[in-house]
Amino acid sequence: MRVEVLPVEKWAGTVAAEFEDRLGPGLRLCLATGATPIPVYSLLASDALASSTVFLLDEFGGLPPGHPGRCETMLRSALLDRVPAREFHFPVVDATDLEIECRRYRDLIDDGGLDLAVLGLGMNGHLGLNEPGSGAQQPTRVVELTPETRDGARRYGANPPPNWGLAMGLVEILAAREVWLLVTGPTKAEVLDGVVNGPVTEQLPASLLRGHPNAVIWADEEAGSLM
Ligand code: F6R
């Protein structure tokens, strides 16, 4: 795993430039929402994703379509409305049969895999909505959210916060040819130190990235201050 720690003021520009470097015809991407990637997304050129397929990393359950706290809404307003992708796929949490929906989404991802997965780091070490205790073999599925993750959802305007979600599985994420973990701010310093220097454990799902052949952590100096 490569760890890049960048000055706060250079972080978004550097990550956005590296991201645009990766883009090419037919690239298949998984993109996270949340606060961390927004400064990067806001720097991308309007045609950056014109030939890419984007898969949404995860979605909260129980919020109505179009709710500002839904991951789909967040990704559209932070990125896709301004920078459209050739194709955009997302898990349909309103589906009547969620087991069938999880299989549909998993099959869609597996049919070509992911070239690059862009992830954020949860305060409890989650990746996507793969909460502590999620193993590397867990597929795309419905998950129950921990109190920390529900608190995170409150920050996105989901009040009351959802108690479940549909998570792209670690098996699909870890099969991506390249995985990026974006981490910023002092509140993530302790958990990031654990991801990089602590034991590799399902209790801290992001630590499983250390077994990935092509994983990069893009941290700013605040998040990287304890490593
Ligand atoms: C978002 C997601 C979450 C967030 C993580 C960090 O799609 O899957 O794993 O990436 O909770 O959230 P922020 O960036 O808001 O601190």
Side-chain angles (χ1 to χ4, degrees):
M1 186 170 68
R2 203 175 111 210
V3 182
E4 297 282 346
V5 181
L6 303 165
V8 172
E9 65 284 3
K10 291 205 174 134
W11 181 82
T14 306
V15 178
E18 289 278 338
F19 182 81
E20 288 195 337
D21 267 4
R22 293 292 185 292
L23 297 174
L27 204 79
R28 292 165 63 87
L29 300 165
C30 152
L31 296 181
T33 55
T36 308
I38 289 179
V40 175
Y41 294 161
S42 70
L43 293 176
L44 299 178
S46 59
D47 61 351
L49 299 174
S51 60
S52 299
T53 297
V54 170
F55 292 88
L56 184 64
L57 175 61
D58 45 20
E59 186 57 281
F60 295 122
L63 303 175
H67 189 287
R70 271 181 64 147
C71 298
E72 180 197 345
T73 317
M74 285 193 265
L75 194 65
R76 286 188 193 279
S77 60
L79 180 66
L80 299 175
D81 288 349
R82 186 183 64 82
V83 185
R86 189 184 67 180
E87 286 179 38
F88 174 44
H89 301 289
F90 51 89
V92 179
V93 284
D94 313 298
T96 41
D97 189 328
L98 285 169
E99 223 168 281
I100 292 176
E101 174 56 14
C102 289
R103 178 161 292 279
R104 178 198 71 86
Y105 200 51
R106 195 187 331 163
D107 288 347
L108 209 54
I109 298 161
D110 284 348
D111 186 17
L114 297 169
D115 296 299
L116 174 62
V118 177
L119 311 173
L121 177 63
M123 289 298 289
N124 61 1
H126 73 203
L127 279 186
L129 295 176
N130 292 282
E131 300 280 36
S134 302
Q137 297 311 318
Q138 295 270 16
T140 295
R141 67 204 183 286
V142 170
V143 292
E144 199 177 313
L145 304 182
T146 59
E148 292 96 330
T149 301
R150 299 187 75 216
D151 273 349
R154 259 197 204 98
R155 282 189 289 128
Y156 312 143
N159 240 324
N163 52 23
W164 66 277
L166 202 159
M168 185 183 292
L170 287 174
V171 71
E172 284 82 29
I173 293 172
L174 295 172
R177 289 172 265 288
E178 187 167 6
V179 181
W180 287 7
L181 184 64
L182 311 190
V183 197
T184 55
T187 58
K188 298 279 175 72
E190 195 175 335
V191 62
L192 182 58
D193 181 43
V195 168
V196 175
N197 296 315
V200 173
T201 165
E202 293 177 1
Q203 291 316 313
L204 201 62
S207 68
L208 301 177
L209 292 177
R210 281 161 50 193
H212 189 281
N214 202 5
V216 185
I217 293 181
W218 296 100
D220 71 4
E221 279 176 344
E222 291 181 337
S225 63
L226 295 179
M227 287 189 297

